[in-house]
Amino acid sequence: MSERLSRRALNRATLARQLLLERAAMPVVEAVERLAGLQAQTPHTWYAGLGVRLDGVTPQDVAELLVSRRLVRLALMRSTIHLVSARDALRLRPLVQPVLDRDLFKNFTHAKPVEGLDMAELVAAARPLLEEKPLTSKQLGALLAEHGRAAGWGDRAPASLAYAARCMMALVQVPPRGVWGSSGPIAHTTAEAWLGEPLAAGTAPDELIMRYLAAFGPSTVMDAQTWSGLTRLKEVMERLRPRLVTFEDEKGRELFDLPDAPRPGPDVPAPPRLLYDFDNLLLSHADRSRVITGHFEARNYRVRRPVPSIVLIDGFTAGEWTLDHQGDQATLTIKTYDEPEPADAEALEAEAHRMIGFAAADAGTRKVHITR
């Protein structure tokens, strides 16, 4: 019989891999690869995900890596924008193509307008346009619609043609979009043109799942499917079984893991942490109870907009936080679900000041408010 891991044991194992038990002193690119990427559909909030995990990093350090093309933002897992290393963009993007296929061909808005269109022909038309210069979706759609009318595609919606190109090709969002302290339109070019290398060929989903377990395990098959957006991963886990160890959770579900991955135990202290709004810690398991509490679920965050940034106390969801940075003043406000213990409140205040130092370093006046 497999060893049974408690909820707290799963919590600590996942926090350790996500660099949330102890901050790491490692290069940013290495950390991003260790984390299997960061969900990054917002231009800047994801910077806090690195600030809370790494020692000695600044937003400017990370921004420079985007500008120098060592980090990129593109659609990957779950068909959402992720920040990944250049190497991972080229290796992982082909593995999630089935996810983007499903996104397009089952999309309520865009599936019908591109029905029957030869996708290879669409890609052949879009690639030179995007590689000549980065284009917004509106610009690309207009050019593809014009091309399509001449090529006999019919009168198809420009937005849907651009969306099809986004799903059928590896398109990166180019700077200044996503660069700290800057702004710009969402403009794309191909990953191959931006990085000067082709997408990896012949990779199998085995690599993706091993990376997932290293960053989020121990996990069930359904957890891996939730994170990646891929289906039918049971056969992949079975193929990998000889290289893995297995456990059970409190409900008797089988968990897979890497033999040498950290599993520090349920009693290891978990200091307070401030997560950003789309932190993968909260999104990467089918059963999210290893981190998420009933207080969190009661707030119905899945339909609330905008999604709030979340506080962890003792490794579990315990409140929300916001940062207001106006001119020379920065105020970080924390609203906890319950009254924190005095030691937790003190540690949380210190963590909040640290986040202000990262995200609002130029603020001369810094305040922290903790309320319930």
Side-chain angles (χ1 to χ4, degrees), residues 169-231:
M169 309 171 70
L171 300 185
V172 300
Q173 290 190 12
V174 302
R177 186 72 176 182
V179 174
W180 186 265
S182 298
S183 183
I186 302 174
H188 296 92
T189 188
T190 67
E192 298 94 319
W194 188 248
L195 300 175
E197 295 184 45
L199 299 180
T203 53
D206 303 41
E207 176 185 351
L208 190 69
I209 299 312
M210 297 291 277
R211 294 286 300 280
Y212 169 70
L213 293 175
F216 295 100
S219 301
T220 66
V221 172
M222 286 301 298
D223 290 331
Q225 292 186 167
T226 296
W227 170 76
S228 64
L230 294 168
T231 59

Side-chain angles (χ1 to χ4, degrees), residues 117 121 141-158 161:
L117 182 60
E121 192 176 334
L143 291 170
L144 288 175
E146 180 182 358
H147 172 91
R149 285 189 289 271
W153 296 354
D155 192 15
R156 297 178 185 264
L161 293 173

